[in-house]
Amino acid sequence: MRKFYILFFILSLCLSLPGIAQITTTPELPAANKAVTITFDSSKESRLGAFTGDLYAHTGVIVEGKTEWQHVIGTWGDNNAQPQLTNKGNGIYELEITPDINSFYSVTAGEKVTKIALVLRSADGSQQTNDLFVEIFEEGLNVSFASPTDGKMIQKNEALNVEVNATGNESIQLLLDGTEIKNISGQQLTHTVQTAVAGQHELKAIAKQGSEETSAIIKFFVREDVTTEAKPMGLKNGINYIDDQTVSLVLFAPHKEFIYVIGDFNNWEANNDYQMKKDGDFFWLTISNLTPQKEYIFQYLIDGELRIADPYTDKVSDPGEYKDKAIPASVYPNLIQYPEGKTTEIASVLQTAQTPFSWSDNTFIAPSKEDLVIYELHVRDFTANGDIKTVKDTLDYLQRLGVNAIELMPFNEFEGNDSWGYNPSFYFAPDKAYGTKNDYKEFINECHKRGIAVLMDMVLNHSFGQSPLVRMYFDNGQPTANNPWYNQKSNFQHPDAQWGYDFNHESKYTQELVDSINSYWMTEYHVDGFRFDFTKGFSNTPYGPTSWGSDYDADRIRLLKRMSDEIWKRNEKAIIVFEHLADNSEETELANHGILLWGNANHAYNEATMGWHENGKSDFSWASWKGKSWDHPGLISYMESHDEERLMFKNLQHGNSNGSYNVKELSTALARMEMANAFFLTIPGPKMIWQFGELGYDVSIDENGRTGRKPIHWDYQNNPNRKRLYQITAALAKLKKEEAAFSSDNFSIIAKDALKRIEINHPDMDVRIIGNFDVKPGSIAANFNQTGTWYDFFTGKELEVNTTDALIELQPGEYHIFTSKKLTSPNILVAPEAKNVNISGTVKVDETLTARYTYFDQNDDKEGNSIYQWYRADNSSGLNEEAISGATELSYILTEDDQGKVLRFAVTPVAKTGELLNGQSISSAYTQTVPISTGINDLEDEQLQIYPNPVQDFLNLNHLGNVKQFYIANLLGKQLIVVKQTEEKMTLNLSGLSRGIYLIVFEMKDGNRISKKIIKQ
């Protein structure tokens, strides 16, 4: 499914173009100052099909002098504000606009409504119509053709029924090509027209009232008889480029009578020179005298009614604000504009004399299947630009990570621009929302130069209603029984296994189409293989509403093997991956055939990272092909994919805790992801990483809707713990690819309990991996198979093993990879740390608190300008905490504002050099509550106060009743300000003093002297 955006595009010939017959009105000629009932027939709208659910109208009006929608009701997707249509049954819906159109839309005085504009959508927004328009007429004299539609095509001498409606008139006159053929009194005219003259004809209706008259014009076309002629040898389906000025178009269209090609080269009008010739079930036409390198937009006009793009086109032109118009020029420069007002629906683009792409990947060899480290990537959500060009710019990052294959989520044309891509429409055209054809090719070429294979996520279980293959044979909301490629209904009745329209993989035509699609992308775009979506659906076996179709299905296996064999005929090294998720007996047979199978281990790994282990629910041994009892590594296991909740999100939301150890804390959750990767990438066999999993992406899959846009967090690299996770992941990927032991078939996973172990034995090296996924300390035997020296991979430290079954104590989250041969430990950069943070000093106004801490850097880097900050709060729980403005030094002098508060100090350690300069901010404990007292000393029952301190210009003094006189001196004792006469309250202007520390000395009436420091800012 996909997320849709508001559609704002205007068809200047809205009701006269084909495809609008799904809308009718009562009355037939609605006026703006009257009520109108709009009736919608969903069976005639391919984007909805035989819809039976709730429908809502995103609706506004077009007013004279404006092209965009006005007075739109509510906002897109707001079911509370937008009008709901009444379901009348059998796919018929009604929308009553009362008391009149002007009132319903709050049209202001002086505005003239010319059209009502609508997009009808399902309640969840997953399905919607094209833009629909209803013409509005002025009160008084009006005339309109109810039938035929403009551009209607008939054969010679075919009876054409004409119906004309008028209001405010006395008579209606009907003319054919300028000659009157009927004239009646009244408000409705019906007539039958016949002609043997081929070509374009005009019907004109004139309504008269006295001397006043108004008219409406439509055209109809009389076609020539179809020419039957064999198509030239060598032509294939679609666009065949003959030379720089000539193309031959071929369309497979059984059961169709006649087809015209309309487009830029004939002004979008039916012309008998562009009628396609017929060769059995194929129609074909050669078009000459084209301008080299010029782009032409065109369509097939089938049986005079249906307009489709070429199903094999490699570029489409899509109307509406939500598609081509929404693509920035930076993503697709100079995109040809859709011919608005001349046609409807998606069109295809041809261009002769294209410059071939210059490939430089002829020496590329794809990685072996068992060594694959696949990175699943969604172009829209990977970079801010959301285009394939910018993804290409990230290849350094992915190469450093150790990725040797990139699996792109579907990028052939899908419906809309904002989608996961599992709603395909055209199978031979890359989606323009991500870039040009050459942008994709440059990306793949660059991947190959770096040793990275490219896999294409391909959806052949179904396609959606924009597909011309659906639209060619479609009626009553579903494909017709004679559709060569589709089942009328999905054989899966389970509601969660139905998407779009279901391909009939038993059909030889579907098989030919599938083989053409796969061959095309391998040949034209050099893709190295495919991940096929929901291959369990490649079956015509009926499955009931409670079945996921997981039982063994011999026909399904036969069809999938057939498709795979055809791929390998074209590229014997092609990587084929199925999202099959069926019975293990099926997956075993497919794996034995050389196919790789997706293996979802998300749940078990996430239970482990969160720290929940009851009843073995964190046992991720199923991530191994041996867990399925296979005889070779055909399983691509993954902890995350586009379809699963993110591990880090659940860690932070639902993680377990014990005392001070809390999985919900970011640094702890990330550390547990390190451990999970150590127990994931090391399991022999191919593996897959979901994008940004290597940085601990923690945004829920349901953010902005399941398939909606997600925030892009390249800034995660600035967090040292996230950066460390990336480096650990890269080190493990390198280890997996370079060390033969991680291709061993002699291994076991012991993962039922919280303390887990992997044992790998290989002639080159033995490996033991142990980890504590609990939230409390525990002990586990590594089960070494030999005594002697073992080596900790990450630290390089030696471990002397005297007994093979000795228990090793592990703290929560602690893990180790021990190898029997010494390896070069990876250079994992670690951010500096601040430890032992504490505060000393007298907790009292005007006294100084001093913070201390221990700086530590594992990389032996010196301390740079670490970042300090003091905070005050209402209590030791941090209630209403605030950062103290300007308190960014190690020392802090308490002020009156701190009275009754508690304080803490935080330091962010900063190294002098290196990649990870900034460490994690560490805080002290809170101080005791600052007592409410005088600014200097307690003097009997009186409170002598000075404030603020530090002070800028004016110093306030209070309770001076026992003070005889006072002065301010510098630190050398020189008196600078002397006050000999005091009052109870005084304010002293210190603007004449320089910044620095001074003494204020009070001489008391009892002969005592009290002095205190003040700071002048």
Side-chain angles (χ1 to χ4, degrees), residues 556-623:
R556 177 164 58 203
I557 296 299
R558 170 181 54 81
L559 291 167
L560 291 170
K561 284 183 175 180
R562 186 214 69 80
M563 180 182 72
S564 302
D565 290 341
E566 289 297 324
I567 291 173
W568 286 321
K569 283 180 184 178
R570 293 157 176 81
N571 179 1
E572 61 182 10
K573 296 185 181 299
I575 300 166
I576 302 175
V577 182
F578 286 173
E579 183 205 30
H580 200 59
L581 310 178
D583 185 79
N584 190 47
S585 61
E586 274 198 16
E587 296 204 347
T588 301
E589 187 172 346
L590 294 171
N592 290 339
H593 198 66
I595 296 162
L596 299 176
L597 285 303
W598 255 27
N600 183 357
N602 172 264
H603 176 77
Y605 273 104
N606 213 169
E607 293 296 314
T609 59
M610 289 188 294
W612 304 107
H613 309 282
E614 296 79 3
N615 302 317
K617 62 185 179 182
S618 69
D619 184 354
F620 44 65
S621 57
W622 195 250

Side-chain angles (χ1 to χ4, degrees), residues 666-807:
L666 179 62
S667 58
T668 303
L670 289 167
R672 292 179 73 89
M673 290 301 298
E674 290 181 22
M675 180 167 55
N677 273 291
F679 279 79
F680 170 66
L681 288 168
T682 56
I683 298 175
K687 297 289 174 288
M688 188 182 77
I689 302 168
W690 166 245
Q691 67 182 26
F692 296 129
E694 72 282 0
L695 291 171
Y697 192 77
D698 55 21
V699 178
S700 172
I701 191 175
D702 294 319
E703 175 83 9
N704 193 29
R706 184 176 182 84
T707 63
R709 288 180 179 269
K710 302 296 186 289
I712 297 163
H713 278 305
W714 286 98
D715 57 294
Y716 278 171
Q717 295 182 93
N718 299 326
N719 180 299
N721 293 315
R722 294 185 186 275
K723 184 71 172 181
R724 174 182 166 85
L725 176 58
Y726 171 91
Q727 293 176 325
I728 292 288
T729 306
L732 291 167
K734 185 174 187 291
L735 186 68
K736 171 185 180 57
K737 293 183 299 180
E738 295 183 357
E739 293 297 328
F742 296 98
S743 296
S744 175
D745 59 3
N746 184 8
F747 67 93
S748 57
I749 303 172
I750 299 88
K752 184 177 180 181
D753 299 319
L755 284 106
K756 303 180 187 295
R757 179 174 73 244
I758 296 178
E759 303 173 10
I760 302 175
N761 298 314
H762 189 271
D764 180 63
M765 178 179 71
D766 298 324
V767 183
R768 295 295 182 270
I769 305 169
I770 58 174
N772 182 4
F773 285 87
D774 211 334
V775 293
K776 61 182 183 294
S779 298
I780 185 173
N783 200 25
F784 295 109
N785 62 341
Q786 56 184 291
T787 59
T789 305
W790 287 71
Y791 304 91
D792 190 319
F793 171 63
F794 282 111
T795 67
K797 293 180 180 179
E798 297 180 359
L799 177 68
E800 293 301 324
V801 176
N802 298 316
T803 175
T804 57
D805 59 354
L807 293 177

